[in-house]
């Protein structure tokens, strides 16, 4: 067995880290001298510390290691790889959005003013993190295919956003959604909207919102804003628009 100092040097971690692992119940010394209080670690604990160091080097949290157990290293690394792949996709989307913004220069985003008579959207409701929204769209699109509904447009309506929790409905105009089970509805009041066409697909939606907010000659009003997805016949890509209510 080796002392905590020699173990720390051998593994490549700090004594402070090893003591912290002990405090949270992750690693325990094989022996503690009752007279001096010195900690000693056998090969088993040393191997455990190597696993923990490896997992931490790849960004696995201590909470996850504690919950799953460091002996599940392969599973934890597979899960972390999936997280990294998702992070890479998000970063690539951000890079593309930055490139689009930089290449745009002083060009204006395509916008128009529309006077809407108002309508009702019926669909599937989200009350939770924004990350829950794609799953509702998957359900909606699956039901549209199953019911054989011919859809030219669909809507994502933001009812409320507060502290990272969104109240949102992914749906269709109510006359098309009567066949959909378990739906909720929202009334879009009549009024004037500024409409911006989104560039670059769904990752470009935040930039469209930002552009509208920075427009100088409009005054936003209190009502629902929404995404409108137009599905041109024969096209593989949707046209996405942001509709913001204005005075």
């Amino acid at each position: 067995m080796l002392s905590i100092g020699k173990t720390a040097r051998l593994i490549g971690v700090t004594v402070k880290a090893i003591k912290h692992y002990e405090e949270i119940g992750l690693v325990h010394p094989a022996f503690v001298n009752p007279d001096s209080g010195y900690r000693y670690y056998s090969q088993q604990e040393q191997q455990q510390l190597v696993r923990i160091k490896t997992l931490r080097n790849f960004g696995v949290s201590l909470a996850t290691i504690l919950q799953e157990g460091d002996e599940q290293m392969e599973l934890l690394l597979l899960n972390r790889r999936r997280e990294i792949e998702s992070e890479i996709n998000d970063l690539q989307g951000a890079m593309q959005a930055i490139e689009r913004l930089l290449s745009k220069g002083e060009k204006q985003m395509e916008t128009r003013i529309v006077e809407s008579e108002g309508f009702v959207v019926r669909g599937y409701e989200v009350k939770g993190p924004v990350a829950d929204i794609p799953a509702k769209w998957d359900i909606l699109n699956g039901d549209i295919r199953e019911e054989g509904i011919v859809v030219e447009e669909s809507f994502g309506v933001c009812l409320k956003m507060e502290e990272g929790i969104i109240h949102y409905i992914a749906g269709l105009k109510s006359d098309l959604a009567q066949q959909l089970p378990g739906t909720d509805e929202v009334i879009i009041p009549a009024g004037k909207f500024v409409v911006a066409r989104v560039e670059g697909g769904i990752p470009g939606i935040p930039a469209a919102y930002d552009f509208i907010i920075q427009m100088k000659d409009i005054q936003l009003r209190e009502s629902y804003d929404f995404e409108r997805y137009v599905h041109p016949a024969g096209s593989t890509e949707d046209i996405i628009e942001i509709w913001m209510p204005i005075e």
Side-chain angles (χ1 to χ4, degrees):
M1 289 189 292
L2 298 178
S3 68
I4 188 171
K6 288 184 178 179
T7 297
R9 288 194 297 274
L10 176 67
I11 304 302
V13 296
T14 65
V15 170
K16 183 178 179 180
I18 296 177
K19 289 183 176 180
H20 179 61
Y21 299 159
E22 181 181 347
E23 289 172 1
I24 64 175
L26 195 55
V27 177
H28 297 285
F31 173 73
V32 179
N33 188 306
D35 298 321
S36 64
Y38 290 167
R39 297 168 170 82
Y40 294 89
Y41 298 84
S42 69
Q43 186 178 26
Q44 179 179 338
E45 291 78 47
Q46 292 156 13
Q47 291 172 345
Q48 186 179 11
L49 286 166
V50 169
R51 291 194 296 271
I52 294 169
K53 183 185 76 169
T54 301
L55 291 166
R56 295 294 291 133
N57 284 345
F58 287 111
V60 181
S61 70
L62 284 177
T64 300
I65 299 172
L66 187 60
Q67 179 179 342
E68 301 296 334
D70 57 88
E71 67 277 3
Q72 300 293 325
M73 186 169 77
E74 183 176 354
L75 175 62
L76 291 173
L77 288 176
L78 287 171
N79 290 339
R80 180 57 184 149
R81 184 174 68 180
R82 283 191 288 268
E83 292 175 356
I84 291 172
E85 288 171 348
S86 177
E87 291 166 8
I88 290 172
N89 289 334
D90 290 344
L91 288 171
Q92 287 176 335
M95 284 289 292
Q96 291 169 4
I98 289 171
E99 290 300 325
R100 286 193 299 271
L101 187 61
L102 291 174
S103 63
K104 182 182 288 293
E106 296 299 320
K107 289 168 59 179
Q108 295 293 304
M109 185 173 287
E110 181 183 331
T111 62
R112 67 185 190 277
I113 304 298
V114 175
E115 190 77 40
S116 172
E117 296 180 356
F119 55 95
V120 178
V121 171
R122 176 168 285 276
Y124 297 112
E125 186 178 42
V126 175
K127 286 186 178 179
V130 172
D132 289 349
I133 291 176
K136 295 299 181 181
W137 278 106
D138 288 343
I139 294 172
L140 175 65
N141 292 327
D143 286 349
I144 288 171
R145 289 191 296 270
E146 185 174 336
E147 298 292 339
I149 303 172
V150 178
V151 175
E152 295 181 356
E153 59 182 355
S154 54
F155 301 87
V157 185
C158 181
L159 284 70
K160 187 177 182 181
M161 181 75 172
E162 190 173 79
E163 296 181 355
I165 300 300
I166 193 169
H167 186 189
Y168 178 98
I169 288 182
L172 311 173
K173 283 188 176 179
S174 59
D175 58 325
L176 291 174
Q178 299 303 319
Q179 302 164 249
L180 301 181
T183 54
D184 296 277
E185 71 175 30
V186 56
I187 298 172
I188 307 296
K192 189 181 293 186
F193 291 81
V194 59
V195 182
R197 180 165 174 169
V198 175
E199 299 180 4
I202 290 174
I205 288 176
Y209 274 104
D210 292 346
F211 182 85
I212 292 173
I213 291 170
Q214 294 181 74
M215 293 177 67
K216 296 179 180 178
D217 299 328
I218 64 168
Q219 180 66 43
L220 299 178
R221 63 181 169 88
E222 191 68 33
S223 189
Y224 300 129
D225 59 88
F226 57 90
E227 306 144 16
R228 176 176 179 248
Y229 297 85
V230 184
H231 316 293
S235 175
T236 57
E237 293 187 3
D238 294 341
I239 296 171
I240 307 175
E241 298 175 339
I242 299 299
W243 288 53
M244 290 282 283
I246 59 173
E247 299 291 351

